[in-house]
């Protein structure tokens, strides 16, 4: 069978499963999630064996150490996955919730209720825990899913899906609730993105390259997630110690994630005092600084930044720095280069804070806090399928509700117009 | 200037206007809408003169009478447009409404509030009233817009936008709140659809050809609207008189619109009784019937339907008819061929109704009512930018809220993670 047809066939099977999942009770879905957790633990030897093969293949290909670490599973990591499943079982079920109801003058009863999308396509990169998280959140929200993980983790992912599927079946849910694409060819991504009416929404989770590939080719609606060129702007009315503490946290606490800071903007009036202190702290934390001309006048050790730096998500211990004339220039720079993820102002000036929050175009706009808080758990949502960086449908951390749509139920007794 | 650059330039101007519109007060926006209404009336002679030129050009091109009617403006139609503006002024302003608020254990205050998209691109076909409706709804929701109307109405649309813009300026709103694309070339649509970060969302309003062109090429998120292959299923437990009345209404009351019925499905047990009656009534209303083999056994006058008929939006006095074995076959047919717009079951069997509403995948699923009710005014929303046939962001009739997104405002006092 050709690749396209094979993937379409999997999506069709998922579509059939989706019809049943849409009407599955919360009890059934939760029982399946708990069964999945149990099976991951009891069959962990199988998972670790497949993972060892993936790791060996990755080492042979010369994969970098930090990528190997993302790929590697341990009993502890499997236990975390199982705990994630149990947590998802505890979350309230979004399906069926009515958020609008009216009886029209002609007697028509109109009710709008939350329903699953149907089939959700998720395209992601190396970490195998995404397989379990994504499948769990889709199942809890009554959706079937078509998963496409990174090629490095293919054996691990396949084993995880086998175990989850066995558990789903034994809990009475359809066999094809979780379809996993085994084709490694990159064109599989494009093929998935064009299955209109078979896949209802595509969620890419990964770097800028993957996201733009999906956006370019998809005819299925897309929720863009997870690219983060996040900014912190140190205003002239900033508390200098707070600014330093927040900047260090936003850059160094976990540089590989999307809510880490990539660019620091500093008001010109405080740059001479703030920048040298920050430079020393960043240097001590092994962060490479790349700055504009003005910043290099203050700290000549800073490497010159290129135009490309302003729009780069380093995901690494690198930071670009720019001195700005005023708040307006900071906002204009952010709106030009951000990925509409998370940006923060450090200031004690309430008016400046208000203006920054109103004018910066991002999912989450902070005052006096680290951008690192943009996260479903930190926001109290309990689980997260990703962080939307688009404005359509969902924005910011996406919990279960973001995996649902709505439907109008209209009941009459013969009304015509 | 090249076409692409010209359109990008217009979108940039709209983006600048959007920044100001986002913080405009309800009072300012409403004053602008009322001023627009007033100016449409006082400058109607200018509008009618430009419209006469469009009509003359359309006649010369041999345009069909029903298209000419859609294009033609009269003092009464201009008065309706003005009334639409006044109604929009009366609607509640969606901007700034908080729908989520929490204080986290670490003291972070998180608030989620409605904000405008920024710039909305609207691509539509011949009726000039869409220019006024779309501009009004975008303005009320704090958005700038980039409009691209049909070439037949270009002089009329341009004049309307000039008048609306003059009114906006005199009410203190930005000059570029409403940008109108004058380039007739069809590639202008594709150029618009690729202006990521300049246009925040594209809403195509028109036939299947326009929608699929936009979906195919757009890298800007799209809200698909307005294609309607709507079904009515006459169940074996249907009240035959009610079914006839609803079917006639759904097909003939306004066949050119998206919520009109295009396909009638009839349960085999009631077909012999129902179909001949319906055939006679449809024939009297000049509706051409195209049916499957079973329906033609009962009414041999019915023309044979082809596979293409089942997915065709006729927008005309044509109806496809099919006899089904049971409810499951009806649901399967609908889920295969519908545009996820509106479908209805006629039945007195509560279980059948419930199953139909649960399993049919459409924005609006009816029991014992005409599909013609899928409409913002009929639903009590007061205004409508279109009817979404996708599941992302908005589904069914879209009021002002569908033209907004949300933003997280997070306020701290130095929190780090």
């Amino acid at each position: 069978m050709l690749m396209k047809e094979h993937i379409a066939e999997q999506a069709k099977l998922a579509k059939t499963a989706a019809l049943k999942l849409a009407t599955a009770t919360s009890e059934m879905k939760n029982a399946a999630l708990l069964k999945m957790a149990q099976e991951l633990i009891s069959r962990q030897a199988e998972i670790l064996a497949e993972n060892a093969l993936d790791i060996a293949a990755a080492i042979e290909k010369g994969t970098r150490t930090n990528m190997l670490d993302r790929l590697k599973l341990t009993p502890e990591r499997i236990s975390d996955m199982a705990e994630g499943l149990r947590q998802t079982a505890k979350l309230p079920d979004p399906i069926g919730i009515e958020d609008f109801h009216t009886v029209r003058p002609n007697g028509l009863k109109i009710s709008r209720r939350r329903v699953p999308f149907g089939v959700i396509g998720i395209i992601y990169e190396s970490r195998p825990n995404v397989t379990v998280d994504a499948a769990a959140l889709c199942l809890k929200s009554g959706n079937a899913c078509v998963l496409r993980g990174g090629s490095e983790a293919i054996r691990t992912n396949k084993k995880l899906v086998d175990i989850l599927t066995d558990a789903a079946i034994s809990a009475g849910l359809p066999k094809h609730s979780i379809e996993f694409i085994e084709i490694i060819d990159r064109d599989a991504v494009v093929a998935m993105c064009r299955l209109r009416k078979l896949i209802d929404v595509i969620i890419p989770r990964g770097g800028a390259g993957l996201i733009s590939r999906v956006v370019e080719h998809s005819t299925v609606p897309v929720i863009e997630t997870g690219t983060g060129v996040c900014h912190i702007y140190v205003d002239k009315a900033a508390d200098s110690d707070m600014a330093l503490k927040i900047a260090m946290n936003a850059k160094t606490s976990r540089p590989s994630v999307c809510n880490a800071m990539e660019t620091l903007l500093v008001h010109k009036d405080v740059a001479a005092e703030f920048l040298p202190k920050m430079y020393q702290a960043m240097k001590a934390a092994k962060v490479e600084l790349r700055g504009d001309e003005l910043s290099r006048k203050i700290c000549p050790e800073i490497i010159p930044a290129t135009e490309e730096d302003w729009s780069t998500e380093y995901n690494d211990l690198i930071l670009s720095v720019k001195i700005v004339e005023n708040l307006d220039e900071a906002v204009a720079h952010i709106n030009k280069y951000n990925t509409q993820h998370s940006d923060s102002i450090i200031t004690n000036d309430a008016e400046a804070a208000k203006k920054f929050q109103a004018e910066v175009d991002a999912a989450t706009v902070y005052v006096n806090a680290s951008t690192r808080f943009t996260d479903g758990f930190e926001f109290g949502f309990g689980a997260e399928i990703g962080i939307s960086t688009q404005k359509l449908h969902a924005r910011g951390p996406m919990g279960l509700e973001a995996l649902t749509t709505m439907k109008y139920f209209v009941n009459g007794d013969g009304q015509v117009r």
Side-chain angles (χ1 to χ4, degrees), chain A:
Chain A
M1 208 185 307
L2 289 171
M3 180 186 74
K4 271 197 231 176
E5 287 159 6
H6 189 80
I7 294 174
E9 200 49 49
Q10 287 190 275
K12 266 181 216 162
L13 292 169
K15 195 83 184 173
T16 312
L19 207 60
K20 287 181 187 153
L21 283 173
T23 53
T25 61
S26 303
E27 290 68 28
M28 283 187 76
K29 294 186 286 189
N30 293 340
L33 290 166
L34 295 177
K35 181 77 178 161
M36 288 172 171
Q38 198 185 324
E39 291 296 304
L40 282 188
I41 301 294
S42 68
R43 293 173 66 180
Q44 63 179 292
E46 294 174 48
I47 302 168
L48 293 171
E50 293 298 315
N51 187 246
L53 295 174
D54 277 334
I55 296 277
I59 289 170
E60 193 150 311
K61 280 209 311 200
T63 305
R64 283 190 302 158
T65 314
N66 66 341
M67 289 294 283
L68 289 178
D69 179 62
R70 286 158 63 103
L71 182 54
K72 189 175 174 60
L73 289 186
T74 60
E76 197 193 353
R77 284 183 177 180
I78 293 174
S79 163
D80 286 348
M81 289 179 187
E83 181 54 25
L85 287 163
R86 286 183 216 106
Q87 293 295 332
T88 304
K90 282 185 200 152
L91 293 175
D93 189 336
I95 298 305
I97 292 173
E98 180 179 82
D99 71 346
F100 173 77
H101 182 89
T102 185
V103 181
R104 300 294 301 155
N106 61 7
L108 275 186
K109 296 187 190 82
I110 304 180
S111 160
R112 184 171 68 188
R113 301 207 287 273
R114 288 270 147 209
V115 297
F117 271 112
V119 178
I120 298 181
I122 300 180
I123 302 169
Y124 53 103
E125 292 173 339
S126 67
R127 282 184 295 165
N129 67 308
V130 175
T131 305
V132 178
D133 290 353
L137 292 169
C138 288
L139 188 144
K140 177 80 186 211
S141 54
N143 292 288
C145 59
V146 177
L147 304 179
R148 208 277 179 177
S151 57
E152 330 73 60
I154 191 142
R155 298 173 189 83
T156 312
N157 284 334
K158 196 167 141 26
K159 175 55 74 181
L160 289 170
V161 170
D162 284 348
I163 295 173
L164 298 179
T165 297
D166 289 347
I169 294 170
S170 80
L173 293 183
K175 182 177 172 190
H176 299 287
S177 301
I178 307 161
E179 282 292 311
F180 182 74
I181 310 264
E182 293 182 35
I183 299 165
I184 287 176
D185 191 333
R186 279 178 74 207
D187 289 344
V189 168
V190 176
M192 264 181 84
C193 290
R194 303 191 68 84
L195 294 175
R196 276 169 75 78
K197 272 207 115 175
L198 288 179
I199 296 181
D200 293 287
V201 57
I202 297 262
I203 304 177
R205 285 184 56 157
L210 172 66
I211 308 279
S212 71
R213 191 168 161 80
V214 169
V215 167
E216 179 65 35
H217 293 286
S218 196
T219 54
V220 174
V222 172
I223 303 179
E224 297 172 47
T225 72
T227 46
V229 176
C230 301
H231 296 75
I232 288 179
Y233 165 57
V234 180
D235 186 43
K236 67 175 169 185
D239 174 321
S240 175
D241 291 341
M242 185 197 286
L244 187 66
K245 185 180 74 166
I246 290 175
M248 291 309 297
N249 177 264
K251 181 70 254 180
T252 67
S253 60
R254 208 172 161 200
S256 66
V257 293
C258 61
N259 56 23
M261 166 177 63
E262 304 294 9
T263 301
L264 180 75
L265 304 173
V266 183
H267 191 287
K268 69 173 195 315
D269 292 357
V270 295
E273 186 260 331
F274 180 73
L275 212 52
K277 279 199 305 190
M278 197 219 41
Y279 175 78
Q280 289 308 325
M282 289 286 176
K283 193 179 167 188
K286 300 199 179 348
V287 178
E288 173 186 314
L289 264 65
R290 302 183 187 176
D292 68 340
E293 226 172 286
L294 288 174
S295 70
R296 296 184 62 244
K297 277 194 186 149
I298 299 169
C299 292
E301 304 90 336
I302 295 176
I303 296 166
T306 64
E307 172 64 22
E308 208 192 332
D309 278 298
W310 309 122
S311 52
T312 299
E313 185 180 14
Y314 301 114
N315 281 336
D316 205 345
L317 289 174
I318 305 171
L319 175 70
S320 54
V321 181
K322 185 181 164 71
I323 311 293
V324 294
E325 272 292 308
N326 50 37
L327 177 58
D328 283 331
E329 193 190 339
V331 170
H333 179 95
I334 293 171
N335 284 341
K336 183 167 179 190
Y337 294 105
N338 77 352
T339 50
Q340 307 189 337
H341 188 300
S342 301
D343 302 293
S344 182
I345 182 174
I346 316 301
T347 190
N348 287 322
D349 175 350
E351 279 307 303
K354 198 176 156 194
K355 184 175 158 74
F356 185 87
Q357 284 191 310
E359 295 188 2
V360 164
D361 195 5
T364 307
V365 188
Y366 290 88
V367 175
N368 293 335
S370 171
T371 53
R372 290 275 292 107
F373 288 106
T374 305
D375 173 283
F377 288 95
E378 292 294 332
F379 276 28
F381 298 166
E384 176 192 290
I385 191 81
I387 292 168
S388 166
T389 54
Q390 71 178 36
K391 295 180 184 178
L392 215 58
H393 189 68
R395 211 175 184 196
M398 293 190 289
L400 282 173
E401 196 188 279
L403 299 183
T404 67
T405 180
M406 58 197 187
K407 187 171 173 176
Y408 287 95
F409 297 80
V410 183
N411 287 63
D413 46 17
Q415 282 85 348
V416 294
R417 187 175 167 192

